[in-house]
């Protein structure tokens, strides 16, 4: 299935999740009413149970389950993947991290993000977790996070870590991630009664009063009822998760072109004393999100490790791999020389097929692109201040008078310090090849997201001032501004779009006219931003139609050139349709 089919599949799985959730709630309500029935007849064996007892039990149970579910869903909707990472007790890795292992992790995530066309996600490490595990979380590809345990960071070599991260990116692109985070919110309500029972049992164990026995009895009853919710939650997670893990393993092999990477990582799990067991209190609730089994369960959320290795790499020889494993790390490729070709020769259909695909060879290309970004510039954009200055520098005109007007606008809109830093970086930004601009922006985004809300607002205001000041607004400038606004907006979108192109023909026409006619009048930044915001609400298959039309418009002269391809990649990024680099060299 392609990217858009996977998005539709994930949406259908959400409907199945709702159905299973409803069945679980009915089962718990029935169990509560059964307990109330037994308790009432125990005290009054000759009297029929009043209907009000059943109604009270059902209403109270429904109110408790639904309120917990709504609170958890609202919490995750506002915090997205970052909220899930905090639940797991993970620490965000700073873009300018000095630790060698954390730098390696950031580098692997960056190159896979650039290779797949996904915005570089926030990266987290679960300190104190010595098991080998990882997860991706978020509502959409542009607001994802990737987290790994300290054990994975310390145990896996670079190839193996790359295999695990590629597996997680498959979940990002296949729509699994949105479903996983919805399951986390929805299932919270049906396991909550059991959690209350565990809490009461723990309190009774520490109590010394004569009421401790009654607390234990109530706790046992709640645990018994909660066991139904736990059982249903495990069934739901197992039903939704197992086959997706095989798909993600296969995608990792296809993307990295190295079956030893994912098979080697799984083999290290088989060897590890701690295995994949996570100690965090939410390990069971989040078990469907992890790379491998994170907590005991009656119904396995993941296939057996041996079977995953066999499917991912049928000829894998564990003993031979372990003997040569220490020498398996490849040397970093040399930076590519010169500019990419003027014409990349992609047909619209071939480019459309790349959206959301983990295409072999793109990781090597992404690594070359990253190495082509000057090391000094890469170091600057790992801090919020340097990343902000770099984005402003990208907007600066080559004309001295226009550039001076832009710098004046930035001083007024933000600060003299930002204007000065942007002017200092202007020569490096101007010399950056067109094909390197989006990768460089991607590398800068994690630092920008870590900035304070005031700093993010100042950056957007400064970008607007720089774009307006020279009175020559390019489409590239408008789309970069839209991308930055989208990425720094805060809370991610929590629901898939359902609009059709027929409903949004006017905003679609804005984009099509700009791509098909380079001389067309440029809209104001707000107008383009409004058009892109509206188009984000398209249903997955409708986004596919829009991207097909945009690619055809760019290909109207018979070829997709570098500037057109990068512009299309920027538009695709804003619409959450990850489009990898189109270049081959």
């Amino acid at each position: 299935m392609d990217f858009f089919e996977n998005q539709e599949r994930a949406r259908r799985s959400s409907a199945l999740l709702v159905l299973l959730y409803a069945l679980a709630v009915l089962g718990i309500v029935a169990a509560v009413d059964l307990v109330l029935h037994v308790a009432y007849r125990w005290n009054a064996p000759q009297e029929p149970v009043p209907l009000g007892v059943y109604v009270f039990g059902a209403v109270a149970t429904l109110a408790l389950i639904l309120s917990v579910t709504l609170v958890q869903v609202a919490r995750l909707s506002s915090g997205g993947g970052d909220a899930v990472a905090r639940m797991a007790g993970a620490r965000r890795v700073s873009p300018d991290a000095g630790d060698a292992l954390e730098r390696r992790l950031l580098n692997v995530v960056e190159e896979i993000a650039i290779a797949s066309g996904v915005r570089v996600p926030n990266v987290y490490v679960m300190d104190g977790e010595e098991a080998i595990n990882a997860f991706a979380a978020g509502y959409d590809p542009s607001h994802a996070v990737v987290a790994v345990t300290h054990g994975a960071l310390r145990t896996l070599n670079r190839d193996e870590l790359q295999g695990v991260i590629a597996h997680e990116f498959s979940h990002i692109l296949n729509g699994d991630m949105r479903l996983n985070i919805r399951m986390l919110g929805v299932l919270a309500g049906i396991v909550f009664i059991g959690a209350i029972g565990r809490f009461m049992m723990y309190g009774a164990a520490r109590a010394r009063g004569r009421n401790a026995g009654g607390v234990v009895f109530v706790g046992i009853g709640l645990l018994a009822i909660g066991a139904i919710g736990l059982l249903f939650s495990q069934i739901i997670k197992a039903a939704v998760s197992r086959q997706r893990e095989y798909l993600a393993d296969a995608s990792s092999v296809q993307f990295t072109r190295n079956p030893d990477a994912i098979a080697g990582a799984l083999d290290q799990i088989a060897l590890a004393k701690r295995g994949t067991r996570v100690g965090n209190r939410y390990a069971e609730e989040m078990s469907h999100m992890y790379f491998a089994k994170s907590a005991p369960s009656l119904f396995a959320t993941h296939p057996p490790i041996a079977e995953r290795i066999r499917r991912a790499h049928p000829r894998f020889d564990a003993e031979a791999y372990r003997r040569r494993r220490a020498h398996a790390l490849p040397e970093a490729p040399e930076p590519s020389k010169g500019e990419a070709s003027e014409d990349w020769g992609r047909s619209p259909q071939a480019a459309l097929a790349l959206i959301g695909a983990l295409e072999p060879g793109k990781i090597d290309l992404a690594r070359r692109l990253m190495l082509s970004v000057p090391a000094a510039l890469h170091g600057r954009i790992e801090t919020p201040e340097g990343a902000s200055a770099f984005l402003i520098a990208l907007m600066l005109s080559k004309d001295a008078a226009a550039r001076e007007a832009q710098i004046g606008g930035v001083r007024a809109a933000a600060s003299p310090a930002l204007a000065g830093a942007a002017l200092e970086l202007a020569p490096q930004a101007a010399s950056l090849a067109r094909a390197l601009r989006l990768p460089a922006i991607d590398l800068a985004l994690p630092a920008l997201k870590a900035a304070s809300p005031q700093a993010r607002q100042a950056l957007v205001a400064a970008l607007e001032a720089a774009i307006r000041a020279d009175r020559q607004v390019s489409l590239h400038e408008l789309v970069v501004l839209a991308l930055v606004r989208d990425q720094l907006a805060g809370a991610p979108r929590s629901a898939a779009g359902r609009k059709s192109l027929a409903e949004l023909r006017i905003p679609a026409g804005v984009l099509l006219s700009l791509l098909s006619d380079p001389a067309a009048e440029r809209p104001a930044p707000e107008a383009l931003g409004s058009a892109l915001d509206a188009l984000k609400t398209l249903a997955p298959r409708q986004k596919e139609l829009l991207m097909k039309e945009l690619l055809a418009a760019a290909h109207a002269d018979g070829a997709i050139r570098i500037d057109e391809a990068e512009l299309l990649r920027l538009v695709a990024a804003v619409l959450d349709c990850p489009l990898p680099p189109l270049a081959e060299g």
Side-chain angles (χ1 to χ4, degrees), residues 115-116 173 251 253-257 346 350-351 353-365 580-584:
S116 61
L173 291 167
S251 298
V253 172
Q254 180 187 20
F255 194 31
T256 62
R257 296 193 298 188
R346 285 276 185 181
L354 289 176
I355 294 177
L358 298 176
E359 189 179 59
K362 291 301 183 186
I363 289 182
D364 291 339
L365 172 60
L582 301 183
E584 302 297 343

Side-chain angles (χ1 to χ4, degrees), residues 22-36:
L23 292 175
V25 171
L26 288 176
I28 294 171
V29 168
V32 170
D33 278 349
L34 178 61
V35 169
L36 291 175

Side-chain angles (χ1 to χ4, degrees), residues 6-7 9-10 170-180:
N6 278 317
Q7 301 303 303
R9 176 188 62 87
S170 171
H171 288 313
I172 293 173
L173 291 167
N174 289 339
D176 300 336
M177 188 178 62
R178 179 193 295 270
L179 180 61
N180 281 341

